[in-house]
Amino acid sequence: MFDQKKLQKIREELHIWCKEQVNKTLEKHPERQQAFKTSCGEELERLYTPLSIEETDYLEDLGFPGDYPFTRGVQPTMYRGRLWTMRQYAGFGTAQESNERYKYLLKQGQTGLSVAFDLPTQIGYDSDHEMSDGEVGRVGVAISSLEDMEVLFEGIPLEKVSTSMTINSTAAVLLAMYIAVAEKQGVSPDKLKGTIQNDILKEYIARGTYIFPPQPSMRIITDIFEYCSKELPYFNTISVSGYHIREAGADAVQEVAFTLADGIEYVKAAIDAGLDPNVFGRRISFFFSAHNNFFEEVAKFRAARRLWARIMKQRFGASDKRALTMRFHTQTAGSTLTAQQPQNNIVRVAYQALAAVLGGTQSLHTNSYDEALGLPTEESVRVALRTQQIIAHESGAPDTVDPLGGSYLVENLTNRIEHQAVSYIDKIDKIGGMIKAIEEGFVQREILDTAYRTQKEIEDNGRTVVGVNKFTSEHAEVPEDILKLDESTEKRQRQNLERLRKKRNNSSVSRSIERISEAARSGESLMPPIIEAVKNYATLGEITEALKEVFGEYTESVII
Amino acid sequence: MNRNDLLSGDELSVSKALTVVESDRVAARSLIGSLPEREYYVIGITGSSGAGKSTLVNWLSVSFSDASRTAVLAIDPSSPFKGGAFLGDRIRMNRASRSGKILIRSMASRGMVGGLSPSVFDAVELLGRCGYHYIIVETVGVGQAETDIVNLSDVVVLVLAPGIGDEIQMMKAGIMEIGDIYTVNKMDIHGADQLANRIRSVLDLADVKREIVKTNSLTGTNVDRLYQLLIGELNRREKSGKIEESRQRRREIAELNTAFSALKEAHSRGVKLEAIMECINRLREDG
Amino acid sequence: MKKTRIIVAKPGLDGHDRGAKIVAMALRDAGMEVIYTGLRQSPSDIVNTALQEDADVIGLSILSGAHMRICDRLLELMNEKGIADKPVVVGGIIPHDDVEILKKKGIAEVFGPGTSLKQLEQRIKELAEKK
């Protein structure tokens, strides 16, 4: 990128500056710390210069926004054209409450719906199962049968909205219900738009809503990919998520490496199922965290985008531009919020969000400042949204494309993160791929080691957390209103299920469940029999149990 | 701990007694001595980590508990530094645990690398005398010094799985010989058949007759077959007098352990090592 | 020699186990025997484990907000099974008002976000010894 002679001159001058200026200063005023490090424990230099990005080739490594390798953005004009999508989601206990909320949001001009499900729904238990006790409707809406799904989308024209569902191990069933509801509305599947998270691998690594062992889980996902490629061409069938990996304690490099390694596994599965990476590649999206270390985070997004483009091109031979671009959603890091002095969190969220914007995110969720204390209140949710609006409309940050591109530091960090992520991915390839690495507990152990080390560093005062281990207040601050949940949801949900189990045609339910078991055993696609079963009002729990019998249940591999 | 509660196998009392067994050898011996001997069987489960021992025990113990009272001792290694331990075998034993019929106890190896701590011998004896008929002991994993599990058990199951990749090492280390029954777990995974064939040919070469059973410990497939084989083997051994031999051996090792801790204790109270050795030599000379 | 034995359990369906695992590691490194139950444990699972393992302390990690229901049921079952003497500690996101209520019900300690591992070790040692 630079003229060799000039670089040589810079090198000489830098040497002189160090000797004459820096050393003299250091003698009188030593620096605050022995070393300054990124979240990954990488030492930061005092000063970054053209020498720090000597190896970088502008056209090859950076290029132009909207062009390979997309380091500077996925789109030529970025936020000058359209701002990122401000997508704030929240869960509501029953389908009825959520439905009312959706209708309100649609009236306000929103076109995208975002559905959060409660834990029983995510893990395949009906609301009346004993494991669901106390969890129904708690972190999202409870869906046990098609009946609940019908209520959820009652009066909402599914051909006009795009629905994003945070659902993984039970994605096939929930998607089947969505298709069935659409059909009842007279909307054919090929008109449906939306996203299912469907990223099971990170559940084993970090989030914990798995059901079956990895191999059969991947098979279900492949069935979904295959079915959707034919029947729901506008549905995004996977959102590969690094957010939860980061929240589990990974550093920035691990977040990029493990998320992309998961992505590789999904593309491999899709190709094995006979899908074209140029077509399938367009249906993959990503989901990252925006953490504290500002420049490292900006670099992380840029590195991830570049590395994914290279993987799609070099490893999978994709050439379609859209199949090469990494589009991602970002959420500010929940684990950085502190219970002490909660208002400080507003500031944390603000610059995490700014890092996501400078990193070129497609959509953004900003956390509420009171999330370390309980469920957010209306006021804290509003402040969170306003934070994004201030960045968008007051800061000037979105007014030029990739404003930090060319910064010696940011480019250097982008290179380093990419290189280190590549060496992690190489290691995983050597183990035999991500599934094997997860089964052996390699990925989980790497993350846990980082999490433990970070915690120890904070406690030994190596890392300052404002309001926690420094600048603490004498008296604990108690937030005034914290939202609490209504406990009657569970009861209502149980009663509904009891009624349903009596009134539906139980012999067709058991017949269709039997067909699911057969398909699970024989290896034929699970989607058609699942769709048939949900139409017969078989419950989520019944379908999951049938699959458990064939596939078995996963137990975590905890190696400490 | 009430003696009657122990005799009737009251879980809480037995559990507290196990704590005594682990913390105080002298008290342990007198506690065990206060209970009458009973007949019980020890089933040793060993194999490399990652082969699926715990998930297998999760099913197997349920089969045994349908026949008679069953306890599981799951051993995990202690950390060499401060002697702490991470005991995580229960994670994979939800089924057994929720059956409500099986006593599961996690034990740390407490400094015994690759082997069994002396208190495991006491623990099985205590459980036996409290009325547990089948006692399944899951080891840390296969190590070079895994003869302990043979000394402890009436029958040993060696669990292997494809893709773990150290069965060659195990053959070299002679660990393959410790199994009375071989289980190739993860039978659904590619390579299971080859592994079973390899074991078969190694055994044939050594002219050793052993059963090999393929299982899937995630779904429980064929675990019942393994259970039947174990019951058959125990019956055969009972008839041939081999079980009595194992009991004898177990008792001897337990006594040896006691003697050793008595010596250690004597040493710590100032008895000179030379004096102890002299005693032993005199005994040896006397025949 | 008597070792301190503690159960680290994740009740309910919540899968966020970073905190539970870090605590388990720290307590192991402090020389305790940590019985780790893994995810999705019901109160009756935990009580059963505590009884069979004769744990000195029972530790729960709860982030889902379901702490009231879980603790009520746990304490009730502990009473039934005759192990009400074992101290129970809870870590996680517990609103301030609930902390007082939980302590009144018989929870020995609540560790909120930001508790240091040293404080935690210290307090658990105290509780194990007091018992």
Side-chain angles (χ1 to χ4, degrees):
Chain A
M1 208 146 80
F2 304 96
D3 179 68
Q4 277 304 321
K5 271 190 201 145
K6 287 212 167 133
L7 279 178
Q8 189 50 40
K9 182 84 181 132
I10 294 172
R11 196 171 286 118
E12 286 159 15
E13 293 284 330
L14 182 69
H15 188 70
I16 295 168
W17 173 74
C18 272
K19 236 168 89 183
E20 294 184 355
Q21 307 262 352
V22 179
N23 289 349
K24 268 187 210 152
T25 310
L26 286 178
E27 271 166 33
K28 278 189 232 147
H29 313 285
E31 290 178 335
R32 286 182 289 118
Q33 286 167 223
Q34 279 277 315
F36 293 82
K37 289 178 180 173
T38 65
S39 82
C40 313
E42 280 280 297
E43 207 162 306
L44 284 165
E45 286 170 41
R46 182 172 298 111
L47 184 78
Y48 285 80
T49 67
L51 296 169
S52 321
I53 50 170
E54 207 178 334
E55 306 294 319
T56 304
D57 180 314
Y58 184 85
L59 291 176
E60 212 168 274
D61 298 322
L62 300 175
F64 293 97
D67 275 343
Y68 185 83
F70 307 100
T71 317
R72 308 204 64 185
V74 295
Q75 211 262 329
T77 59
M78 288 303 287
Y79 309 132
R80 287 166 69 103
R82 202 175 65 84
L83 289 167
W84 62 92
T85 307
M86 300 177 195
R87 191 189 291 155
Q88 304 289 102
Y89 59 77
F92 293 90
T94 60
Q96 182 68 43
E97 289 162 307
S98 301
N99 178 264
E100 280 160 22
R101 180 75 183 169
Y102 293 156
K103 281 181 179 159
Y104 168 80
L105 288 170
L106 290 173
K107 245 191 223 151
Q108 305 298 308
Q110 185 169 320
T111 53
L113 301 179
S114 185
V115 192
F117 298 96
D118 70 358
L119 285 167
T121 307
Q122 293 185 46
I123 303 176
Y125 293 115
D126 289 335
S127 297
D128 56 358
H129 192 282
E130 67 163 315
M131 288 296 283
S132 305
D133 192 29
E135 312 260 14
V136 176
R138 195 171 277 283
V139 299
V141 58
I143 303 286
S144 299
S145 78
L146 182 59
E147 210 176 60
D148 297 326
M149 203 70 154
E150 284 163 356
V151 175
L152 185 65
F153 293 109
E154 192 274 317
I156 294 170
L158 294 188
E159 78 277 16
K160 287 193 186 132
V161 298
S162 138
T163 305
S164 159
M165 295 190 263
T166 303
I167 194 75
N168 296 279
S169 55
T170 53
V173 182
L174 274 302
L175 182 63
M177 289 180 183
Y178 192 72
I179 293 168
V181 172
E183 195 174 284
K184 289 203 166 179
Q185 287 188 1
V187 178
S188 74
D190 63 354
K191 297 269 185 334
L192 294 176
K193 282 191 303 254
T195 306
I196 41 174
Q197 194 165 68
N198 203 23
D199 172 12
I200 194 66
L201 293 176
K202 65 94 174 50
E203 297 295 330
Y204 301 113
I205 299 171
R207 190 166 167 270
T209 72
Y210 46 73
I211 302 171
F212 317 110
Q215 297 286 355
S217 290
M218 284 301 286
R219 179 251 165 121
I220 298 173
I221 286 174
T222 317
D223 285 353
I224 296 173
F225 287 168
E226 211 182 348
Y227 185 84
C228 289
S229 76
K230 291 183 196 123
E231 310 289 335
L232 286 83
Y234 298 112
F235 223 83
N236 292 315
T237 44
I238 195 153
S239 166
V240 192
S241 307
Y243 179 81
H244 314 92
I245 292 175
R246 190 66 181 273
E247 285 289 290
D251 60 33
V253 167
Q254 289 171 329
E255 182 187 0
V256 172
F258 298 152
T259 309
L260 270 55
D262 284 347
I264 289 170
E265 213 59 54
Y266 295 125
V267 177
K268 277 201 278 191
I271 291 173
D272 287 346
L275 303 181
D276 176 358
N278 276 319
V279 179
F280 176 72
R282 294 163 154 252
R283 302 261 67 95
I284 307 175
S285 62
F286 289 83
F287 172 22
F288 289 110
S289 155
H291 218 272
N292 275 342
N293 196 307
F294 187 77
F295 295 107
E296 184 185 34
E297 287 301 292
V298 176
K300 174 190 80 181
F301 296 118
R302 300 172 85 247
R305 200 161 41 229
R306 179 162 76 199
L307 182 53
W308 184 248
R310 286 176 169 163
I311 287 169
M312 284 304 284
K313 188 173 182 179
Q314 291 159 12
R315 195 186 271 245
F316 297 114
S319 52
D320 178 88
K321 213 179 209 183
R322 233 181 113 73
L324 298 173
T325 55
M326 168 186 272
R327 292 159 295 129
F328 62 90
H329 172 67
T330 307
Q331 180 172 342
T332 58
S335 59
T336 62
L337 303 182
T338 63
Q340 297 89 337
Q341 308 178 13
Q343 284 83 355
N344 295 352
N345 294 326
I346 300 174
V347 184
R348 291 190 180 97
V349 167
Y351 70 78
Q352 290 165 359
L354 181 60
V357 168
L358 294 175
T361 194
Q362 275 58 62
S363 59
L364 180 60
H365 170 103
T366 34
N367 287 328
S368 303
Y369 65 84
D370 51 4
E371 270 173 50
L373 302 160
L375 282 171
T377 59
E378 207 168 289
E379 187 231 345
S380 69
V381 171
R382 191 173 53 240
V383 173
L385 180 61
R386 292 292 176 265
T387 305
Q388 292 200 40
Q389 290 162 336
I390 290 167
I391 295 173
H393 302 288
E394 297 184 12
S395 76
D399 298 350
T400 182
V401 179
D402 189 29
L404 287 181
S407 146
Y408 307 124
L409 165 66
V410 171
E411 294 299 356
N412 176 279
L413 284 174
T414 304
N415 292 345
R416 278 206 271 180
I417 290 172
E418 186 188 8
H419 291 163
Q420 287 169 9
V422 166
S423 67
Y424 250 129
I425 292 173
D426 287 346
K427 216 181 268 177
I428 290 163
D429 282 338
K430 279 209 188 78
I431 292 173
M434 200 55 171
I435 295 175
K436 195 103 194 291
I438 290 168
E439 283 175 343
E440 288 182 8
F442 168 77
V443 182
Q444 298 92 311
R445 199 170 51 240
E446 289 290 308
I447 295 171
L448 189 58
D449 284 346
T450 305
Y452 192 40
R453 196 192 67 216
T454 309
Q455 182 64 30
K456 290 234 156 190
E457 272 175 29
I458 290 171
E459 290 188 15
D460 301 343
N461 268 310
R463 282 192 194 188
T464 300
V465 183
V466 173
V468 176
N469 61 6
K470 241 186 192 171
F471 317 113
T472 49
S473 313
E474 285 285 305
H475 46 91
E477 284 141 280
V478 186
E480 285 139 34
D481 357 283
I482 290 176
L483 198 65
K484 280 182 191 155
L485 270 174
D486 172 19
E487 303 258 335
S488 66
T489 307
E490 192 155 329
K491 212 172 136 200
R492 236 176 313 151
Q493 194 66 15
R494 277 170 201 272
Q495 287 165 347
N496 288 346
L497 262 173
E498 202 188 326
R499 212 168 4 192
L500 174 81
R501 287 189 212 274
K502 276 189 198 132
K503 86 179 172 205
R504 66 185 182 178
N505 181 339
N506 277 305
S507 64
S508 48
V509 168
S510 38
R511 259 199 314 278
S512 53
I513 291 286
E514 186 43 44
R515 265 197 282 279
I516 292 174
S517 308
E518 278 164 27
R521 277 190 212 99
S522 72
E524 68 186 281
S525 176
L526 283 163
M527 280 309 288
I530 291 178
I531 293 172
E532 189 202 302
V534 302
K535 283 183 185 166
N536 284 327
Y537 293 91
T539 66
L540 170 75
E542 289 159 349
I543 295 170
T544 308
E545 280 309 313
L547 292 173
K548 270 186 201 170
E549 240 162 72
V550 180
F551 294 147
E553 280 185 79
Y554 179 76
T555 42
E556 48 190 317
S557 76
V558 185
I559 302 163
I560 282 186
Chain B
M1 278 156 286
N2 182 307
R3 187 166 175 275
N4 285 334
D5 286 342
L6 285 176
L7 285 175
S8 68
D10 171 65
E11 258 197 7
L12 181 54
S13 307
V14 175
S15 171
K16 286 191 189 301
L18 283 171
T19 304
V20 172
V21 162
E22 276 205 293
S23 354
D24 183 344
R25 282 196 57 83
V26 179
R29 294 310 292 179
S30 82
L31 181 62
I32 291 167
S34 75
L35 302 167
E37 269 191 65
R38 282 196 215 181
E39 211 169 71
Y40 65 93
Y41 297 104
V42 181
I43 297 108
I45 310 284
T46 189
S48 14
S49 65
K53 293 189 296 289
S54 307
T55 38
L56 197 65
V57 169
N58 190 26
W59 290 85
L60 193 61
S61 58
V62 174
S63 299
F64 275 106
S65 74
D66 286 339
S68 192
R69 292 198 65 182
T70 300
V72 172
L73 292 179
I75 324 277
D76 269 321
S78 293
S79 142
F81 304 106
K82 279 193 178 166
F86 180 82
L87 309 173
D89 288 324
R90 286 191 89 99
I91 297 173
R92 284 172 290 275
M93 294 188 187
N94 274 331
R95 191 185 160 80
S97 173
R98 284 176 189 154
S99 75
K101 293 192 297 185
I102 301 162
L103 174 74
I104 304 171
R105 179 67 167 229
S106 313
M107 290 178 84
S109 65
R110 299 208 176 165
M112 298 295 292
V113 179
L116 298 173
S117 89
S119 44
V120 176
F121 284 81
D122 291 341
V124 294
E125 190 58 41
L126 176 90
L127 287 168
R129 292 186 187 207
C130 291
Y132 288 88
H133 194 61
Y134 295 114
I135 300 159
I136 302 175
V137 179
E138 183 198 326
T139 67
V140 171
V142 162
Q144 305 271 336
E146 204 68 354
T147 45
D148 275 3
I149 190 70
V150 177
N151 289 333
L152 178 76
S153 312
D154 295 302
V155 60
V156 174
V157 181
L158 181 60
V159 187
L160 300 122
I164 305 285
D166 56 357
E167 73 267 22
I168 304 293
Q169 278 316 107
M170 287 165 64
M171 285 180 204
K172 280 186 192 154
I175 285 153
M176 289 292 264
E177 288 154 35
I178 69 174
D180 297 310
I181 292 174
Y182 289 77
T183 297
V184 174
N185 195 27
K186 307 190 184 179
M187 61 185 279
D188 55 320
I189 287 181
H190 179 75
D193 289 338
Q194 287 102 302
L195 179 57
N197 290 338
R198 281 250 282 290
I199 298 168
R200 171 62 60 218
S201 54
V202 170
L203 291 175
D204 284 350
L205 211 64
D207 204 20
V208 179
K209 252 189 84 61
R210 292 278 191 274
E211 292 282 355
I212 301 171
V213 54
K214 282 180 279 185
T215 54
N216 180 345
S217 63
L218 286 174
T219 54
T221 312
N222 271 2
V223 173
D224 198 54
R225 164 109 183 100
L226 174 61
Y227 166 70
Q228 295 297 344
L229 284 173
L230 280 166
I231 290 290
E233 186 64 28
L234 286 173
N235 281 337
R236 228 180 344 272
R237 287 171 175 235
E238 188 69 82
K239 280 193 196 113
S240 71
K242 270 199 172 163
I243 292 282
E244 198 38 55
E245 281 172 32
S246 332
R247 279 186 193 137
Q248 194 54 40
R249 191 175 54 215
R250 195 156 57 226
R251 234 171 273 139
E252 269 170 27
I253 303 257
E255 297 299 334
L256 270 175
N257 284 334
T258 310
F260 182 64
S261 26
L263 289 180
K264 253 169 82 175
E265 209 231 349
H267 181 60
S268 71
R269 274 190 290 125
V271 178
K272 287 267 180 294
L273 202 55
E274 292 78 26
I276 295 174
M277 286 314 291
E278 203 178 305
C279 263
I280 293 174
N281 283 332
R282 218 174 20 242
L283 284 172
R284 204 183 279 156
E285 278 156 26
D286 293 349
Chain C
M1 190 189 60
K2 174 82 180 81
K3 282 258 173 205
T4 299
R5 286 165 71 86
I6 175 165
I7 288 172
V8 175
K10 280 288 304 175
L13 300 181
D14 163 46
H16 296 94
D17 55 3
R18 166 190 180 168
K21 283 179 177 166
I22 289 182
V23 164
M25 276 174 105
L27 296 179
R28 178 203 60 187
D29 289 350
M32 298 184 200
E33 290 184 353
V34 181
I35 297 122
Y36 189 77
T37 68
L39 304 179
R40 302 185 198 167
Q41 299 293 300
S42 71
S44 99
D45 291 336
I46 296 166
V47 170
N48 183 36
T49 300
L51 189 150
Q52 296 193 338
E53 301 288 353
D54 193 25
D56 301 303
V57 180
I58 301 169
L60 312 177
S61 161
I62 314 175
L63 294 133
S64 67
H67 46 270
M68 279 301 179
R69 181 85 69 102
I70 290 164
C71 291
D72 281 345
R73 185 81 189 115
L74 186 92
L75 293 170
E76 184 186 316
L77 285 170
M78 285 175 70
N79 229 342
E80 243 169 62
K81 296 275 187 178
I83 54 168
D85 57 327
K86 294 187 189 300
V88 179
V89 300
V90 177
I93 302 173
I94 313 288
H96 193 266
D97 292 352
D98 290 358
V99 171
E100 289 314 308
I101 300 172
L102 285 175
K103 284 191 173 169
K104 273 197 198 108
K105 287 176 194 259
I107 299 296
E109 192 63 82
V110 177
F111 300 110
T115 310
S116 80
L117 292 173
K118 281 194 201 86
Q119 290 166 336
L120 195 120
E121 265 170 48
Q122 191 54 41
R123 184 75 182 112
I124 285 172
K125 264 187 195 140
E126 277 169 27
L127 286 170
E129 275 157 25
K130 203 161 72 188
K131 191 207 137 218

